[in-house]
């Protein structure tokens, strides 16, 4: 019996967060027993504890294009594969990693037909200089697709399938339109929540405001603050370390005249919901031991990821449930988190989410969010990773943990926890 208890104690020391180890008595086993809550993986990739390990998954590079208005902005005449190729090339050029060492590229993308966009992304990898031996796939979990791509790569590295991978995101809402589904299954009217999956996103935003009492004034105040913070961040050059300039063309719709331009600044919007936008991002992940061997600076540690389901009629509340799940999975509490990047799909759901969790607004979207910058659907999650980690780096040792989260169309939420790399 004593041997069994000792084995359990050792196992728990590995499973529980590092901060809890000191509380485990060597002589007693009261309050410590294996339970489903400790062992179950659920719908998450869990990296319990915060002590560094050679097997940790780390981020060594995270870059993005600027975000531009669809149909009217700087990327209106730029194809999505060109946007993606720019960031894929940048993440390799900046880190000096041999592209042939990359085990997989996973790209989050939403609007384009899956088989077509998968081929375009593969083409982008060739444009960026990757050899034919490097595979690529796409993933679509709607607005969390870019974050899902990063989480998938982290999970595959953790599982030992490969040591280096790229999680990316791309969306051209100029090229690929938001459109209602084609033929709908007649059974949809028999299942209220299935029917609600088809609600326009704007209606779900109104539902959140009405159901949870988010006032128009609160929404407008949140929008004003998002714009104020984004304008200040752009003016002070805070995004320069993460934005890769894109040399492209733009065509005058009246004259047809084509001219070459370089896009390096987000062009923003004026509204209290996210604009339809174009953009791409790429995040390079690898095992910590390999990053050290290559002498690469570690921007951050990937600590946990969770995706959850919520009522499709109020899909925007997803972050309020995904964030606690991811934070718990990382062995942390909300009070341990210094910064949040919560996608501002709509002001109503953004306000609801941070108020529901009791978050300090001074910690959330400190450089503005999607209301000001835009929301290229498949790109947003990866973009938020780049923005979060660069801001954590600027803030230094007083900023250890950060969270990226967003709501997801059809009623879901996703969140991931990151630890600053040089802590």
């Amino acid at each position: 019996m004593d041997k069994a208890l000792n084995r359990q104690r050792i196992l728990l020391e590995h499973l529980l967060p590092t901060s809890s180890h000191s509380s485990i008595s060597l002589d007693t086993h009261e309050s410590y027993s294996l339970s489903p809550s400790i062992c179950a993986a659920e719908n998450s990739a869990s990296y319990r504890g915060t002590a560094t390990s050679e097997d940790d998954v780390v981020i060594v590079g995270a870059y993005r294009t600027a975000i531009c208005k669809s149909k009217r902005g700087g990327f209106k005449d730029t194809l999505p594969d060109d946007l993606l190729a720019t960031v894929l090339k940048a993440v390799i050029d900046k880190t000096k990693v041999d592209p042939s060492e990359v085990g997989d590229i996973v790209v989050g993308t939403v609007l384009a037909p899956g088989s077509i966009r998968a081929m375009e992304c593969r083409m982008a990898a060739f444009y960026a200089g990757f050899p034919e031996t490097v595979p690529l796939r796409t993933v679509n979990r709607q607005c969390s697709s870019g974050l899902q791509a990063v989480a998938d790569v982290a999970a595959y590295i953790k599982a030992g399938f490969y040591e280096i991978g790229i999680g990316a995101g791309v969306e051209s809402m100029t090229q690929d339109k938001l459109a209602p589904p084609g033929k709908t299954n007649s059974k949809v009217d028999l299942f209220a929540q299935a029917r609600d999956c088809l609600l326009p996103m704007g209606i779900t935003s109104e539902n959140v405001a009405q159901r949870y009492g988010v006032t128009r004034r609160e929404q407008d105040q949140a929008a004003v603050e998002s714009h104020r913070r984004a304008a200040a961040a752009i003016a002070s050059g805070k995004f320069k370390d993460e934005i890769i300039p894109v040399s492209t063309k733009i065509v005058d719709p009246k004259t047809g005249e084509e001219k070459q331009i370089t896009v390096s600044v987000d062009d923003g919007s004026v509204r209290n919901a996210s604009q339809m936008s174009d953009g791409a991002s790429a995040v390079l992940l690898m095992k910590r031991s390999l990053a050290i061997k290559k002498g690469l600076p570690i921007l951050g540690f990937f600590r946990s990821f969770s995706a959850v389901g919520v009522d499709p009629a109020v899909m925007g509340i997803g972050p309020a449930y995904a964030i606690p799940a991811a934070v718990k999975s990382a062995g942390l509490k909300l009070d341990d988190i210094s910064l949040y990047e919560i996608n501002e799909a709509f002001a109503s759901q953004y306000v609801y989410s941070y108020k529901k969790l009791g978050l300090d607004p001074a910690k959330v979207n400190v450089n503005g969010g999607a209301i000001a910058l835009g929301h290229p659907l498949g790109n947003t999650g990866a973009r938020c990773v780049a923005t979060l980690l660069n801001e954590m780096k600027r803030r230094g040792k007083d900023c250890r943990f950060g969270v990226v989260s967003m709501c997801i169309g059809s009623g879901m939420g996703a969140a991931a926890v990151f630890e600053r790399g040089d802590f």
Side-chain angles (χ1 to χ4, degrees):
M1 181 66 176
D2 289 340
K3 289 182 179 180
L5 289 173
N6 187 55
R7 285 197 299 270
Q8 185 186 70
R9 178 187 62 79
I10 294 171
L11 179 59
L12 283 168
E13 286 179 355
H14 288 290
L15 289 174
L16 290 171
T18 304
S19 59
S20 300
H21 290 181
S22 60
S23 66
I24 299 179
S25 169
L26 296 176
D27 300 317
T28 66
H29 60 277
E30 288 181 279
S31 302
Y32 297 103
S33 61
L34 293 177
S35 68
S37 64
I38 290 176
C39 297
E42 298 180 320
N43 192 10
S44 65
S46 175
Y47 297 80
R48 289 186 178 275
T50 57
T52 56
S53 160
E54 286 193 350
D55 291 332
D56 279 336
V57 179
V58 299
I59 296 93
V60 298
Y63 301 97
R64 68 177 180 95
T65 67
I67 302 171
C68 294
K69 299 181 183 74
S70 69
K71 303 177 185 177
R72 295 178 292 132
F75 294 145
K76 73 179 185 67
D77 300 305
T78 304
L79 295 174
D81 41 323
D82 284 328
L83 292 174
L84 180 59
T86 298
V87 291
L88 290 179
K89 186 176 189 303
V91 81
I92 291 299
D93 289 349
K94 296 279 189 180
T95 59
K96 309 299 182 187
V97 168
D98 184 342
S100 67
E101 294 184 79
V102 174
D104 201 2
I105 302 171
V106 182
V107 184
T109 185
V110 177
L111 293 180
S115 59
I116 295 174
R117 180 51 47 82
M119 287 187 289
E120 291 173 343
C121 290
R122 175 76 164 149
M123 290 157 55
F126 289 128
Y127 302 156
F130 286 83
E132 64 185 33
T133 53
V134 177
L136 179 148
R137 66 177 170 89
T138 57
V139 61
N140 184 349
R141 201 197 284 268
Q142 308 236 48
C143 299
S144 72
S145 297
L147 184 61
Q148 186 70 58
V150 173
D152 282 4
V153 170
Y156 274 54
I157 294 173
K158 194 71 175 176
F161 293 164
Y162 47 78
E163 291 190 322
I164 304 175
I166 295 175
V170 65
E171 205 73 58
S172 173
M173 299 182 79
T174 296
Q175 302 292 328
D176 303 300
K177 310 297 188 293
L178 278 168
K183 186 176 180 180
T184 304
N185 193 317
S186 60
K187 291 190 294 187
V188 74
D189 290 327
L190 302 177
F191 297 86
Q193 288 190 310
R195 184 184 65 240
D196 288 343
C197 289
L198 302 175
L199 286 173
M201 294 297 96
I203 298 300
T204 69
S205 171
E206 293 298 313
N207 288 345
V208 170
Q210 292 171 11
R211 185 178 297 186
Y212 301 107
V214 181
T215 67
R216 176 60 184 270
R217 181 177 179 80
E218 287 179 304
Q219 294 175 61
D220 288 347
Q221 286 175 334
V224 168
E225 186 62 12
S226 181
H227 286 289
R228 187 191 69 77
R229 292 181 180 187
I234 292 169
S236 64
K238 282 191 172 182
F239 296 138
K240 285 184 178 179
D241 289 342
E242 65 194 64
I243 292 180
I244 302 301
V246 179
S247 296
T248 186
K249 67 179 181 181
I250 194 164
V251 179
D252 187 315
K254 295 181 179 178
T255 66
E257 179 185 359
E258 180 180 310
K259 67 176 181 179
Q260 292 298 121
I261 61 170
T262 298
V263 180
S264 58
V265 179
D266 302 308
D267 61 20
S269 66
V270 181
R271 56 181 67 207
N272 69 3
S274 59
Q275 68 174 2
M276 293 189 291
S277 307
D278 307 328
S281 303
V283 179
L284 181 61
L285 303 95
M286 63 178 62
K287 286 182 65 173
R288 176 174 176 267
S289 58
L290 187 56
I292 292 171
K293 181 179 179 181
K294 290 180 175 292
L296 291 170
I298 295 173
L299 191 57
F301 292 81
F302 187 97
R303 288 303 183 194
S304 72
F305 170 81
S306 288
V308 302
V310 298
D311 183 354
V314 286
M315 66 90 202
I317 67 174
Y321 297 89
I323 289 172
V327 170
K328 181 179 179 182
S329 180
L332 301 170
K333 298 179 180 179
L334 291 179
D335 288 344
D336 296 319
I337 309 302
S338 301
L339 282 180
Y340 294 85
E341 282 288 328
I342 301 177
N343 187 44
E344 300 167 351
F346 297 92
S348 63
Q349 58 81 209
Y350 167 66
V351 170
Y352 169 81
S353 294
Y354 79 72
K355 288 182 67 177
K356 172 71 173 177
L357 296 176
L359 305 182
D360 180 356
K363 294 182 177 182
V364 186
N365 297 358
V366 296
N367 294 315
I371 287 173
L373 301 173
H375 175 28
L377 307 180
N379 171 53
T380 288
R383 191 282 295 176
C384 287
V385 173
T387 300
L388 176 77
L389 291 178
N390 277 283
E391 182 60 28
M392 292 174 70
K393 179 181 178 181
R394 277 190 294 271
R395 295 193 173 211
K397 293 191 180 295
D398 291 333
C399 184
R400 185 170 182 181
F401 296 104
V403 165
V404 170
S405 184
M406 65 283 296
C407 60
I408 304 170
S410 75
M412 290 177 280
V417 177
F418 299 85
E419 183 177 3
R420 203 186 71 252
D422 60 348
F423 195 87

